[in-house]
Amino acid sequence: MTAVRCIDLCKTYRQGDQDIKALDHLSIDIEKGEFVCLMSPSGGGKTTLLNAIGGLDIPDSGEVWIADERIDQMSKGQLADLRLANIGFVFQAYNLIPVLSAQENVEFVMQVQGVPAAKRRDKSYAILEEVGLKGLETRRPAEMSGGQQQRVAVARAIVSRPELVLADEPTANLDSKTSAELMKLFTELNEHHNTTFIIATHDQRVQAYAKRLVRMLDGRIVGDAEQHAA
Amino acid sequence: MNIVLRLAWRNLWRHSRRTWLTIGAMVFSNVLLVFMISLQFGMYGLMIDNTLKVFSGHMQVQAPGYKDDQKMRQVVPDVQPLAAHLRSELASDTIAARGWAFGLASSAERSYGIGIYGVEPDFEPQVSNIPGLIEEGRYLDDTNATEIVIGTMLARNLRIGIGDELTLLGSGVDGSFAAAVVNVVGIFGSGVKEIDRNIAQMPLGAFQDIFYMNGAGHQVVLLAPDLGQADILQARVETALSDDSDLVVHGWDELQPGLKQAIQADMSSAFFMYGILVILVAFSVLNTQLMSVLERTHEFGIVMSLGLKPGRLGRLVMLETAMMGFIGMILGALAGALFTTWFTVNGFTYPGMEEMVANFNLPGRVYPRATLVSSFAGPLVVFLFTLAAAVYPALRLHRLHPVEAMRTT
């Protein structure tokens, strides 16, 4: 079953006097349960592609399908609902809400989803334990290390068991040990819950965990190969 | 606590100094509004009471049409028994019968057209300040005596004093010629030129004889314990008169339309100033919330990427503003009520005020009237304007694009 389908995507940004083609007639199919790594040098278009798949950015032309739904023509509200129900995001900069504790950050998405309070609390504590943050539930982002913040961000992204997780440079600010732990966590979720992962990175260590490696350059796919994950 | 409430509450205190400054502006304006509105209500109460106690009372029973036409023949029959009946029925002494006629008052040297009131000497002091404003001589004391009290200016104009005779000429209720000679027993000074120059009072019994009233009069004047009870009293009077469909009861606002208009005009100008104050506070809130929204653009991008719709983000901003406004409203209303209560007990005056109003036989201090309305109306309006001020920052969020927002630092 296809989890993500992009057809002939184009996206151009204007930078000064120049038009930058972030996506250049790009097409890709990603099956449910795949663990895909998007590799490119900076400016290769991987973040733009992730944003288009996540409905955060609308391509200039082309089609984006999530499962059976075409999302590039959806309204802002429909896209928000789609992200809330089906997609988990992990950002390079963690992007936690600074005034909420770790547990509250995780709980926040569930509250928006309308999950009952008791269930929210149980699930948020359980997922924080799962990502190795037991005992740090009441800490605010400023009181945690980068690795711990990224784990909270991951916990927030996966607590509702989304079908698709999009991660943009998730290990960029982490040391190698924490990066390995994070990738291991992603791998487990992928294997145990059949969650589809699309990770944009230029971190060579992350590539080793991917089952499929997609190489991009100047907004185009220049290599797409399956591999044995670590 | 709901996590969105928690988020809103904590967002509020990210810049606590800024939040407190904004709340401070609300509290200051609320205290000012509570005090000024209460003072205004107190002033109006005093104005109304003072004006009505001079002459017209809180209400009058009259014949239909008399208020506008004031014709001699538009009478209240058996006016004294009616007043006595109302005093008994309503268990109140502040009810008095009166007759009124226009006449020519002549002294040995001069003549002036004046309004002559026939009053009940025993009860007139309960409904009017005039008996207490006698400067020379005495007030009336016999309902059938041919005596009269006149204003200071009229006495000066007629060049007469206590003990002098005054000739009255006028028309009786049946149109016949009415004439009498009365003794001046008192001279009053109300401080109001129109009253001191144009009004005279004589006993109702003698008035009825002179003007062939046959026991009739023109009005029964009633004074309520205070303005707030006037409507209740009026309803009771109307019930007591329900068998007598030939009579009508006029409230103070009908009897003194000019007073009501003056109050309305004063209220309009005062509320214009209050409006400016409230708008200034609203702009302060707008500034705070706009800054708050702009500096959190990145964060709003994050929560939008998590699936929060712009509408919910807007509601979050409105919730934060509502919390801030609520604090300002409660603190402002409480501080304003406390501040005002002190003046409610001790009164408010300014240099020269006591001397001035003493001339009118009236209290010299204004007592702000702190009511639920005066304590909360102003703060509630500030609160609503505060919410309105947050609409623009909240609406801006609808234009926010998650990717662009997250690029903002």
Side-chain angles (χ1 to χ4, degrees):
Chain A
M1 183 185 171
T2 306
V4 176
R5 169 168 290 171
C6 298
I7 305 169
D8 204 26
L9 289 187
C10 290
K11 180 77 183 179
T12 305
Y13 290 112
R14 187 141 190 94
Q15 200 169 58
D17 295 336
Q18 274 192 314
D19 285 336
I20 309 290
K21 282 189 173 176
L23 297 176
D24 187 7
H25 298 282
L26 183 147
S27 296
I28 187 172
D29 280 4
I30 296 168
E31 297 300 311
K32 181 162 174 56
E34 276 199 282
F35 197 110
V36 182
C37 205
L38 301 176
M39 299 286 293
S40 83
S42 290
K46 54 188 184 301
T47 298
T48 307
L49 179 59
L50 275 192
N51 287 341
I53 293 171
L56 295 177
D57 207 357
I58 305 298
D60 297 334
S61 62
E63 298 174 15
V64 182
W65 293 75
I66 301 292
D68 297 327
E69 287 188 284
R70 185 173 174 183
I71 70 163
D72 56 282
Q73 294 175 331
M74 284 182 173
S75 66
K76 271 186 180 179
Q78 287 172 315
L79 287 170
D81 286 339
L82 176 87
R83 289 195 292 270
L84 189 64
N86 302 316
I87 304 173
F89 282 95
V90 180
F91 302 98
Q92 177 182 344
Y94 324 133
N95 285 345
L96 299 176
I97 301 169
V99 293
L100 297 182
S101 69
Q103 185 264 334
E104 288 166 342
N105 261 286
V106 175
E107 204 184 323
F108 181 71
V109 176
M110 287 189 285
Q111 162 125 19
V112 179
Q113 288 173 329
V115 177
K119 195 172 175 186
R120 285 201 310 260
R121 191 176 160 79
D122 291 347
K123 284 182 83 170
S124 57
Y125 273 91
I127 199 79
L128 284 170
E129 186 175 355
E130 195 175 334
V131 298
L133 291 176
K134 189 178 181 183
L136 302 181
E137 294 90 348
T138 57
R139 288 202 189 172
R140 292 198 185 178
E143 299 164 341
M144 289 188 285
S145 69
Q148 287 168 335
Q149 287 186 58
Q150 192 61 296
R151 284 162 188 253
V152 176
V154 170
R156 180 179 67 182
I158 63 176
V159 69
S160 301
R161 299 287 179 227
E163 292 169 8
L164 176 64
V165 172
L166 305 175
D168 190 8
E169 306 280 9
T171 59
N173 294 327
L174 304 180
D175 58 45
S176 56
K177 183 171 174 282
T178 313
S179 294
E181 285 172 359
L182 184 68
M183 292 315 297
K184 196 173 164 223
L185 179 65
F186 280 177
T187 309
E188 284 171 7
L189 288 166
N190 172 248
E191 286 170 357
H192 296 158
H193 302 290
N194 202 31
T195 306
T196 309
F197 275 82
I198 306 175
I199 301 169
T201 185
H202 50 243
D203 186 342
Q204 299 291 332
R205 295 166 300 182
V206 173
Q207 292 176 35
Y209 293 88
K211 294 172 188 166
R212 181 180 168 189
L213 208 57
V214 176
R215 291 184 188 279
M216 295 178 66
L217 187 67
D218 297 333
R220 284 172 291 144
I221 293 173
V222 293
D224 188 348
E226 292 195 358
Q227 66 172 19
H228 291 291
Chain B
M1 196 200 295
N2 180 300
I3 201 162
V4 176
L5 282 175
R6 256 182 286 175
L7 181 59
W9 180 252
R10 288 177 196 170
N11 281 336
L12 205 57
W13 301 110
R14 282 183 180 196
H15 297 280
S16 57
R17 190 180 302 173
R18 189 170 68 195
T19 301
W20 275 121
L21 279 174
T22 311
I23 289 174
M26 287 182 212
V27 170
F28 175 76
S29 67
N30 285 339
V31 168
L32 207 59
L33 284 172
V34 170
F35 177 71
M36 292 304 290
I37 292 173
S38 300
L39 185 66
Q40 219 176 342
F41 283 1
M43 286 282 274
Y44 294 155
L46 196 64
M47 274 170 69
I48 292 166
D49 282 345
N50 290 357
T51 307
L52 303 186
K53 279 178 185 169
V54 170
F55 228 69
S56 57
H58 283 120
M59 68 207 71
Q60 290 183 8
V61 179
Q62 297 177 352
Y66 179 76
K67 179 171 69 67
D68 301 318
D69 303 334
Q70 289 207 295
K71 289 181 178 165
M72 277 294 278
R73 65 173 180 276
Q74 292 169 313
V75 297
V76 177
D78 300 320
V79 71
Q80 283 177 285
L82 176 64
H85 167 70
L86 289 174
R87 280 193 291 270
S88 160
E89 186 79 13
L90 305 173
S92 170
D93 283 339
T94 55
I95 299 171
R98 282 185 195 151
W100 181 86
F102 177 78
L104 190 68
S106 301
S107 64
E109 297 179 47
R110 293 183 171 189
S111 298
Y112 282 93
I114 61 169
I116 304 160
Y117 278 90
V119 299
E120 292 182 292
D122 291 341
F123 297 102
E124 186 65 16
Q126 319 298 327
V127 298
S128 167
N129 285 326
I130 300 285
L133 295 169
I134 295 294
E135 292 183 356
E136 285 182 63
R138 61 170 173 81
Y139 190 64
L140 311 169
D141 58 9
D142 180 349
T143 193
N144 293 310
T146 51
E147 56 190 27
I148 197 163
V149 291
I150 61 176
T152 47
M153 289 181 74
L154 183 59
R156 193 160 54 242
N157 291 340
L158 290 171
R159 295 180 184 166
I160 57 173
I162 303 298
D164 290 341
E165 287 187 339
L166 194 61
T167 304
L168 300 177
L169 298 174
S171 296
V173 72
D174 56 356
S176 59
F177 181 72
V181 175
V182 293
N183 287 320
V184 177
V185 295
I187 296 173
F188 62 82
S190 69
V192 181
K193 283 181 185 174
E194 285 70 25
I195 293 175
D196 293 348
R197 186 167 50 203
N198 299 318
I199 298 294
Q201 289 189 349
M202 64 185 300
L204 183 58
F207 176 90
Q208 287 170 327
D209 288 343
I210 293 167
F211 292 97
Y212 310 110
M213 298 298 291
N214 196 24
H218 292 105
Q219 53 192 234
V220 176
V221 184
L222 298 97
L223 200 65
D226 59 61
L227 188 64
Q229 297 183 50
D231 287 344
I232 302 165
L233 182 65
Q234 186 168 343
R236 291 179 65 201
V237 173
E238 282 165 348
T239 306
L241 293 176
S242 58
D243 294 339
D244 203 339
S245 59
D246 286 343
L247 298 175
V248 291
V249 184
H250 293 299
W252 70 269
D253 50 341
E254 293 174 276
L255 296 168
Q256 295 277 356
L259 178 62
K260 192 176 182 184
Q261 283 164 6
I263 289 172
Q264 283 171 339
D266 184 70
M267 280 176 83
S268 300
S269 60
F271 281 108
F272 178 73
M273 294 306 294
Y274 299 158
I276 291 174
L277 181 67
V278 171
I279 287 168
L280 286 176
V281 173
F283 271 105
S284 159
V285 173
L286 174 64
N287 178 50
T288 300
Q289 289 306 80
L290 201 55
M291 279 175 70
S292 166
V293 165
L294 289 175
E295 72 194 9
R296 284 187 287 161
T297 302
H298 176 82
E299 200 173 305
F300 287 137
I302 298 168
V303 289
M304 284 176 81
S305 73
L306 296 176
L308 211 67
K309 290 180 185 172
R312 289 190 81 151
L313 275 180
R315 286 202 289 277
L316 179 70
V317 171
M318 294 299 291
L319 184 62
E320 291 169 15
T321 313
M323 285 175 166
M324 189 163 61
F326 188 73
I327 295 170
M329 181 174 71
I330 296 299
L331 290 182
L334 284 176
L338 280 174
F339 183 69
T340 307
T341 300
W342 192 88
F343 286 101
T344 303
V345 174
N346 297 291
F348 176 82
T349 188
Y350 52 83
M353 182 179 169
E354 294 195 31
E355 291 77 10
M356 187 181 78
V357 294
N359 293 330
F360 301 87
N361 195 27
L362 296 168
R365 297 178 83 80
V366 181
Y367 291 85
R369 195 176 286 174
T371 62
L372 269 180
V373 172
S374 67
S375 296
F376 280 97
L380 192 63
V381 171
V382 170
F383 177 71
L384 293 176
F385 269 75
T386 297
L387 286 185
V391 169
Y392 173 65
L395 285 178
R396 273 182 66 98
L397 295 171
H398 283 270
R399 297 205 301 265
L400 211 60
H401 200 277
V403 171
E404 288 168 10
M406 281 192 290
R407 282 195 195 120
T408 311
T409 51

